[in-house]
Every structure is written in structure tokens, then in C-alpha cells.
Amino acid sequence: EAGVAQSPRYKIIEKRQSVAFWCNPISGHATLYWYQQILGQGPKLLIQFQNNGVVDDSQLPKDRFSAERLKGVDSTLKIQPAKLEDSAVYLCASTVGGSYEQYFGPGTRLTVT
Amino acid sequence: RKEVEQDPGPFNVPEGATVAFNCTYSNSASQSFFWYRQDCRKEPKLLMSVYSSGNEDGRFTAQLNRASQYISLLIRDSKLSDSATYLCVVNMGQGGKLIFGQGTELSVKP
């Protein structure tokens, strides 16, 4: 079974530029999560989707971050404009509805200079 | 107060040692509990769930004390391959978000 796919794996941008990350969850997984993991910290949830609807985006900095999952399958997370403090690994995870176990993708490592 | 707090690391232990990690959580409404393992520059992966009765998986034992809002992970007979960061994780409900601790790094030396 294919795992959670993410791209790109690495991205370096200058502050104030825009960037987008893509995630394709495990087939059949209705719930998709985006996490931000800053070096030395645990992952922090940014947004949770159930199919194509947002369940929780309370920790998403909405002035600069946006995410969508239009067809209830893959998802895009965008940052515009980026700040230095956005340097982190952005992890996508998915789970079968009703399950506690989340499966993580390999992440996108973002460096903002 | 952080929602999930773990022992600060790193833990440096010799092969064969027993090591224990501790974790506390602040929200008494938390419903499920896990330990995830994260290798360097890799994604987190579920190590084991934690049940009130305690549970064991080979060399790993997890314990939960709901009254004290405390979770532990014990690793016996440490192997070099156990070197990783161990993340204490709390879930607020089925399908709900995971809240991660900051992680405790373990380094097992020959």
C-alpha cells in the first residue's frame, strides 16, 4: 500500500516570497492533517480536513497560510508571504475515518532566508 | 503550561540499559494516548498506544495514570536501533487532532 506522498521534499525561499506544498494521502483516508514541526519541537497541527471540509484550523495563521482539499483527496498548503519563522518541516498525515492512528508523509523541509 | 510536556533530553545510555521516559498532559478530557517514534530527519511513526491497564510490546512497556495525567514509556535492553526521538502524544477524541510533546531524544551507545 502506498504511503502519504508529499512534494517537494525541500524548498528554499526568501522572506516575503510564496510557496506551496502538496500532499496526497493514503487511498481511502478521509481525514487529512497538515502539521508544522519546528526544529527541536513536536509537530503542531495547522489544519484538519474531513473529506473536503475543514474540521479544525484554529492554529493556522490565516493572514499568511491557506490550505485546500477541493476534491476530498489531495491537498495544498500555501504560505504567502513567508517569514523567517516559517522555516520548519511541514508534515502531512492521513487517517481512516474513526481511527486514532495517523500516517505521516516524509514532509517538506522549508528554509526561509 | 504546555498541553503535553516530556522529560527534556537527550538521554545517552549504553546498549542493554533500561531507560524510562515520562510525560504529563494538562487536559483531563484527553481520551487516547500514544508514543510515536521519530528518527532523525524522518516522519513520526506510531510506536504504541497507551492503555489504562498498561501495555507491553516486546521490550517496550507503556503506562497511563489518568488521575495524575501521566504517561510513561519504558525500554528494556536498549539496542543501538532504538536511538531516535520519542514523542508523547495525546488525542482529544476519535478523529480529533493529535497534540505532541516536544520529544525526548534517546541515543544508545555501544
Side-chain angles (χ1 to χ4, degrees):
Chain A
E1 180 183 82
V4 177
Q6 290 189 246
S7 68
R9 294 294 309 278
Y10 305 91
K11 191 75 177 179
I12 301 174
I13 61 172
E14 295 181 352
K15 59 183 179 184
R16 291 187 289 275
Q17 286 188 322
S18 303
V19 65
F21 313 129
W22 175 82
C23 171
N24 192 27
I26 294 172
S27 178
H29 281 198
T31 308
L32 183 149
Y33 310 80
W34 282 102
Y35 290 87
Q36 179 193 59
Q37 186 172 24
I38 292 171
L39 187 65
Q41 299 181 20
K44 181 185 82 171
L45 180 71
L46 293 175
I47 189 167
Q48 176 185 346
F49 291 95
Q50 179 75 21
N51 296 310
N52 61 350
V54 175
V55 174
D56 184 345
D57 64 355
S58 57
Q59 297 190 92
L60 186 74
K62 298 180 185 64
D63 57 334
R64 298 184 302 106
F65 286 63
S66 64
E68 59 184 16
R69 193 184 184 201
L70 293 176
K71 296 182 179 178
V73 181
D74 56 350
S75 176
T76 302
L77 176 70
K78 296 180 181 177
I79 308 175
Q80 180 179 11
K83 293 185 175 181
L84 295 176
E85 59 261 35
D86 298 332
S87 293
V89 176
Y90 291 83
L91 294 160
C92 179
S94 69
T95 189
V96 173
S99 170
Y100 292 112
E101 182 173 2
Q102 296 183 14
Y103 296 84
F104 285 81
T108 296
R109 187 173 299 273
L110 173 68
T111 302
V112 182
T113 63
Chain B
R1 182 183 173 188
K2 291 181 181 178
E3 292 182 275
V4 180
E5 288 201 69
Q6 296 186 235
D7 283 338
F11 282 49
N12 296 300
V13 303
E15 269 188 295
T18 295
V19 60
F21 302 135
N22 300 313
C23 171
T24 57
Y25 59 95
S26 62
N27 193 328
S28 59
S30 302
Q31 296 191 14
S32 53
F33 310 89
F34 309 91
W35 285 100
Y36 272 68
R37 170 188 169 134
Q38 186 170 27
D39 291 306
C40 187
R41 301 179 79 86
K42 298 285 189 180
E43 70 273 22
K45 291 184 179 178
L46 179 65
L47 177 65
M48 59 196 302
S49 301
V50 187
Y51 303 117
S52 297
S53 55
N55 50 299
E56 188 173 307
D57 182 2
R59 297 180 293 107
F60 297 82
T61 301
Q63 297 275 357
L64 167 65
N65 184 322
R66 284 187 183 269
S68 302
Q69 296 180 202
Y70 169 88
I71 305 161
S72 66
L73 176 68
L74 183 77
I75 305 175
R76 291 182 300 277
D77 188 22
S78 298
K79 311 291 185 191
L80 296 176
S81 56
D82 294 334
S83 296
T85 295
Y86 291 83
L87 297 158
C88 176
V89 186
V90 170
N91 186 298
M92 296 302 295
Q94 202 169 43
K97 67 181 182 184
L98 297 182
I99 302 172
F100 287 78
Q102 77 272 28
T104 301
E105 184 182 348
L106 172 65
S107 180
V108 182
K109 306 291 187 184

